[in-house]
Amino acid sequence: MKKKYTIGIDLGINNVGWAVFNNNTNEIEYYGVRRFNSSDSALDRRIQRSTRRRIKRKENRVNDVLNELAKIGFPNKVQSDSKLIEKRYMSIKEKIEKQDITNILCFMVSNRGYIPFSDEEAEIVDLNGLLPCEYYYNLYINTGKYRNLQKVVKNTDNIREINKMLEVQSKYYPELNKEFSKKIINIFERKRKFWEGPGSYKINQISPYGRFKTEEDIKEYLDKKSVNPSYEKYIFEELIGKCKISINDKCAPKLNYYAEYFNFLNDFINISFNNIESIKNKEYVYSDLKSHKLNTDGLYAIKEYILTNKKINIETMFKDILGTNIDNVIGIKRTKQGKNDMSMFNYYKYIKNMFESRNLNTAWIDDILQYNKVIAYLTVAPGIIEVKNMINADPNFSYAFNEEEFNVLGEIIKNKKSDLSYHALSETILKRAIGDMLKYCLNFMQVRKKLDYDKEAREFFKNNYTEKKGNLPLIEKKYIDDIIASPQVKKTLRQAIKIINAIILKEKTLPTIIAIESAKELNSKNMKASIEKEQRIQEKIRIEAEKVIENTFGRGSINEANIEKVMLYNEINGHCAYCNKPINLNEVIYGVIEVEHILPKSKSFDNSYNNKTLACKECNNFKTNKTPYAFLHPQGLYEEFEKRTKSLKLSEKKTENL
């Protein structure tokens, strides 16, 4: 009898367990575990990567300035100068040496000042009309300091100084002409867009992590640029996850109209009715052998009702449409607290209401193609500055937003930040599924099986990721790099594939089944327990926050942004996290006091709940982009703050951040 066997795989954060089960004898034949080091966290990798790139780009700017200086016969090496601030101050008034000009330009291109990007936290120096060198020289004379200060100067102010210096020095060195000045300023101003990634379209600057990975990428870019000068190749398109069913399609944003339509259908197709006789409008219901469910007309009627009524009471809705009581309805999805949790186009309606409540044009919202484009930009961009630039540069976007409308989009980004993520399916598959779900009145899992949605993916994997050893097909590891984004998941899956392929070669035949056990996230046991505990705590304080908002400000004020504010307010007992002065909850809800990042977001890249707190207006103004220690220690307030913080019931991570 030909042997039949099953491979069991258990995926972990730093190990893969495996066993081979003989289907004929019902026995485990052999087993083992492969151990390896787990990857750094995504945040750690991002900080390390960002630091490396920032240093490299600074070096590149300095080298480019030195190259331009060498072309006109100036010194092309930097010398250390303890009197640099005095030389900068002198350079806008009188002649200085060539070496001094080299030193100044290289120092300033390394410390070129703040260039606005998204919602970074930065406190800008008020120069009162002075050039930066004048401001810092006065500061140096009065305090003895002018470096490593928390406040930053704008890049444009530093450029004013460079222009003034080159204008004055060109009287003594004609080589410092307007053409040279223009080249230097270009180096000062250049800043990589968030969607570009590392590298560039120059052959020697191709990067596997940037938008130009191959010479073909460069050729495509230059060809399209010659036809359409505004054409850009956005790297973010490559970073969006791939659809589980249509492998070559990108996942749609979670707020995409069709994603909401898909979720709506899944929820309402799954409900049924106890008693058909209790339903007045029976034309909206069909009956099979097991149950009574909504038909296509019923689903359309409920969708239309939801989209045309601003506030929905689900009990009233079933009475109005079907003429039945809520007690007759089975399968309504509810939260742990028993509240209605059915998908009812909440995001689409929220965005439309944001514009209607301010008497702004909603024509672009009614045009689903344009609406989905805006949602795609809101989801991928880090802030409204980038959204604005991307929309304005899109030749296929037909609606022109004014400043007020862009401000509303900015509010949406802030209020719905945690929801601006991606669905598991592409827009193409969502639209296909919607049509099939309406046609057959079956939920997605049912139509997926009935119509074999996965056939394309199976064929794709079979044709693209199979290698042969003799007559045995093995799994190719390259699919991991093509499809998987997470370095930790890649690491674990590579080990799993090695094990599976080795077992197939040993057995000289394919397994009947490969059974895989994996955590939802590849976390260690202790980490999982810690996460679950924190989630339970968060859920409890979230419920308390909702009650506070409802009792104090009314149900209309319950939204994600306000819930987070009250959660933060409650955990610090209504006092400033830093100086311990009482904070007024009204000022928190109405935006007078804003949420504060504990570790500056521009440095930590951390926008999570554990990096947020509330501070009084004074502390918020003076803390700027400092850490709590850097802010409080010079004032002698740190020890008292540390003691008080440890007495609060905060998560371990938030306590560590504070």
Side-chain angles (χ1 to χ4, degrees):
M1 182 170 62
K2 187 177 178 182
K3 178 180 176 180
K4 292 184 178 180
Y5 71 98
T6 295
I7 299 175
I9 296 289
D10 185 11
L11 303 178
I13 191 170
N14 60 358
N15 64 81
V16 175
W18 53 272
V20 173
F21 179 81
N22 188 316
N23 296 357
N24 304 123
T25 64
N26 286 340
E27 292 181 344
I28 293 174
E29 292 198 336
Y30 51 98
Y31 54 88
V33 63
R34 185 187 287 265
R35 297 183 183 278
F36 48 90
N37 293 327
S38 59
S39 295
D40 292 333
S41 72
L43 178 60
D44 290 338
R45 288 193 304 274
R46 194 158 63 243
I47 292 172
Q48 292 163 13
R49 194 165 57 241
S50 176
T51 302
R52 287 196 305 271
R53 289 175 183 168
R54 194 162 54 242
I55 292 169
K56 182 65 178 174
R57 289 166 189 166
K58 187 179 287 191
E59 288 174 355
N60 288 340
R61 293 197 302 272
V62 170
N63 289 333
D64 289 348
V65 167
L66 290 173
N67 286 336
E68 294 300 329
L69 287 164
K71 289 176 187 177
I72 61 171
F74 270 60
N76 65 343
K77 288 188 178 178
V78 180
Q79 292 182 357
S80 178
D81 188 348
S82 61
K83 296 188 176 181
L84 189 69
I85 189 60
E86 291 101 318
K87 301 281 180 66
R88 279 175 62 183
Y89 183 72
M90 288 167 55
S91 73
I92 62 170
K93 301 175 183 296
E94 58 191 73
K95 181 180 179 181
I96 59 174
E97 298 300 319
K98 287 185 176 182
Q99 182 64 58
D100 295 330
I101 293 172
T102 295
N103 293 343
I104 290 170
L105 287 176
C106 289
F107 172 81
M108 291 189 71
V109 84
S110 293
N111 305 274
R112 59 180 176 161
Y114 175 70
I115 301 176
F117 175 78
S118 186
D119 303 317
E120 285 180 322
E121 299 170 357
E123 187 177 1
I124 308 298
V125 172
D126 183 1
L127 296 174
N128 287 320
L130 297 175
L131 293 172
C133 63
E134 295 174 304
Y135 171 83
Y136 285 125
Y137 181 71
N138 291 339
L139 198 65
Y140 177 63
I141 295 299
N142 293 324
T143 67
K145 293 180 182 179
Y146 78 97
R147 292 194 188 189
N148 298 322
L149 303 175
Q150 295 295 333
K151 292 185 179 182
V152 292
V153 168
K154 289 180 184 176
N155 174 259
T156 50
D157 287 324
N158 275 334
I159 288 172
R160 281 197 303 121
E161 179 182 332
I162 293 296
N163 278 326
K164 180 66 176 176
M165 180 189 81
L166 293 176
E167 178 191 334
V168 171
Q169 297 306 313
S170 66
K171 296 173 186 175
Y172 311 106
Y173 306 106
E175 310 95 297
L176 304 176
N177 54 33
K178 287 185 178 179
E179 184 182 347
F180 173 82
S181 179
K182 186 177 179 181
K183 290 177 182 177
I184 296 297
I185 297 305
N186 283 340
I187 297 170
F188 264 78
E189 287 180 324
R190 72 187 185 203
K191 183 176 175 73
R192 193 173 299 272
K193 304 292 190 299
F194 83 97
W195 40 259
E196 289 181 313
S200 80
Y201 60 85
K202 297 177 182 177
I203 295 292
N204 64 340
Q205 293 182 15
I206 289 175
S207 166
Y209 305 105
R211 56 180 177 160
F212 302 105
K213 298 175 179 60
T214 64
E215 291 185 32
E216 287 73 24
D217 288 341
I218 294 172
K219 185 177 184 306
E220 179 195 6
Y221 171 74
L222 294 176
D223 287 347
K224 291 188 178 178
K225 193 84 170 171
S226 65
V227 178
N228 176 12
S230 66
Y231 171 76
E232 295 292 354
K233 183 176 172 65
Y234 294 162
I235 191 176
F236 65 74
E237 292 169 351
E238 298 173 26
L239 302 178
I240 298 169
K242 292 188 177 179
C243 176
K244 292 180 178 180
I245 293 172
S246 182
I247 300 301
N248 291 316
D249 285 348
K250 304 293 184 185
C251 293
K254 198 162 85 174
L255 273 61
N256 180 289
Y257 177 84
Y258 297 110
E260 290 207 81
Y261 199 166
F262 171 91
N263 294 337
F264 158 80
L265 287 176
N266 255 337
D267 284 357
F268 281 89
I269 283 170
N270 284 335
I271 68 169
S272 59
F273 302 93
N274 261 323
N275 185 353
I276 190 73
E277 299 307 320
S278 298
I279 297 173
K280 186 183 291 184
N281 300 324
K282 294 182 178 60
E283 69 270 21
Y284 290 140
V285 178
Y286 77 95
S287 299
D288 57 24
L289 294 174
K290 296 179 181 177
S291 59
H292 316 291
K293 302 179 80 84
L294 288 165
N295 62 22
T296 304
D297 289 339
L299 292 166
Y300 275 129
I302 289 178
K303 172 179 174 266
E304 191 62 26
Y305 185 96
I306 288 170
L307 291 178
T308 52
N309 288 276
K310 285 193 175 180
K311 290 188 177 180
I312 304 293
N313 178 295
I314 195 163
E315 187 170 345
T316 305
M317 182 178 76
F318 279 113
K319 279 184 181 176
D320 290 347
I321 298 173
L322 297 164
T324 191
N325 291 323
I326 197 78
D327 296 340
N328 191 34
V329 186
I330 304 168
I332 292 176
K333 195 165 73 171
R334 298 190 182 277
T335 65
K336 292 176 184 176
Q337 295 74 45
K339 294 180 182 177
N340 166 38
D341 196 29
M342 300 289 279
S343 299
M344 297 199 289
F345 295 89
N346 293 332
Y347 299 117
Y348 181 79
K349 291 180 67 177
Y350 165 77
I351 291 170
K352 194 163 190 175
N353 182 57
M354 288 281 281
F355 275 74
E356 284 179 342
S357 63
R358 292 165 168 81
N359 295 317
L360 298 173
N361 196 328
T362 60
W364 66 275
I365 300 175
D366 298 324
D367 183 339
I368 300 305
L369 180 66
Q370 300 293 315
Y371 172 81
N372 282 341
K373 272 198 168 196
V374 174
I375 292 299
Y377 289 139
L378 295 181
T379 305
V380 79
I384 192 58
I385 294 172
E386 290 74 30
V387 169
K388 184 177 180 180
N389 291 339
M390 291 163 72
I391 287 176
N392 288 339
D394 185 348
N396 298 316
F397 189 74
S398 59
Y399 185 80
F401 287 108
N402 59 37
E403 278 306 310
E404 186 180 359
E405 289 166 329
F406 274 122
N407 289 339
V408 176
L409 291 179
E411 285 183 50
I412 292 167
I413 291 175
K414 280 187 177 180
N415 294 343
K416 299 296 178 185
K417 194 70 179 174
S418 61
D419 298 310
L420 290 168
S421 56
Y422 290 91
H423 200 277
L425 303 175
S426 69
E427 185 173 309
T428 303
I429 296 297
L430 288 169
K431 289 163 81 171
R432 174 185 166 189
I434 288 165
D436 290 336
M437 290 158 78
L438 284 167
K439 180 179 178 180
Y440 296 104
C441 293
L442 298 174
N443 66 34
F444 177 63
M445 292 308 293
Q446 291 168 326
V447 296
R448 181 178 184 174
K449 185 176 180 181
K450 179 183 178 72
L451 303 176
D452 197 5
Y453 272 46
D454 295 288
K455 182 179 178 181
E456 178 192 337
R458 285 199 307 273
E459 291 299 317
F460 181 88
F461 275 89
K462 182 178 175 182
N463 295 332
N464 290 278
Y465 300 116
T466 305
E467 62 174 327
K468 288 237 176 174
K469 286 242 177 140
N471 293 322
L472 291 172
L474 303 177
I475 307 169
E476 271 198 353
K477 294 191 291 291
K478 74 169 188 175
Y479 98 84
I480 295 172
D481 290 320
D482 290 350
I483 291 175
I484 307 298
S486 163
Q488 179 59 64
V489 176
K490 284 183 179 184
K491 201 168 193 178
T492 298
L493 288 183
R494 284 194 189 101
Q495 300 297 330
I497 287 171
K498 285 181 184 177
I499 292 167
I500 292 168
N501 286 343
I503 293 171
I504 291 171
L505 289 172
K506 176 181 171 68
E507 296 294 338
K508 297 185 174 60
T509 184
L510 293 175
T512 308
I513 296 169
I514 300 176
I516 298 174
E517 169 87 8
S518 69
K520 185 177 179 184
E521 301 290 342
L522 291 174
N523 290 315
S524 68
K525 191 174 180 181
N526 289 340
M527 191 184 295
K528 277 183 69 182
S530 174
I531 291 169
E532 288 169 1
K533 180 181 177 183
E534 187 169 330
Q535 286 173 339
R536 289 194 297 271
I537 294 170
Q538 287 289 94
E539 183 62 29
K540 185 178 177 183
I541 62 176
R542 180 187 174 85
I543 293 166
E544 291 172 357
E546 285 193 35
K547 288 178 181 175
V548 169
I549 296 170
E550 183 173 3
N551 294 336
T552 312
F553 303 97
R555 286 202 60 77
S557 296
I558 296 178
N559 57 48
E560 289 301 315
N562 284 345
I563 290 169
E564 181 181 70
K565 288 175 183 177
V566 175
M567 287 167 67
L568 295 171
Y569 181 85
N570 286 345
E571 72 180 7
I572 53 175
N573 300 324
H575 287 67
C576 172
Y578 303 111
C579 70
N580 205 32
K581 289 179 185 174
I583 292 175
N584 187 311
L585 183 56
N586 285 323
E587 292 185 324
V588 174
I589 291 295
Y590 295 117
V592 179
I593 290 174
E594 296 185 349
V595 174
E596 202 273 321
H597 286 91
I598 299 166
L599 302 178
K601 191 170 68 169
S602 58
K603 296 177 181 178
S604 67
F605 308 100
D606 185 357
N607 193 42
S608 69
Y609 182 82
N610 280 327
N611 195 40
K612 293 176 181 177
T613 191
L614 295 175
C616 67
K617 285 185 281 187
E618 290 78 8
C619 286
N620 213 339
N621 289 337
F622 288 113
K623 180 176 177 284
T624 62
N625 65 342
K626 301 182 185 77
T627 63
Y629 181 83
F631 169 51
L632 296 169
H633 181 67
Q635 305 175 60
L637 301 175
Y638 184 75
E639 287 186 8
E640 190 273 332
F641 158 80
E642 183 181 23
K643 183 179 178 183
R644 186 177 70 254
T645 298
K646 287 180 178 178
S647 71
L648 295 171
K649 292 180 180 178
L650 305 173
S651 70
E652 187 178 336
K653 184 62 181 174
K654 179 165 283 193
T655 303
E656 180 187 327
N657 284 346
L658 283 162

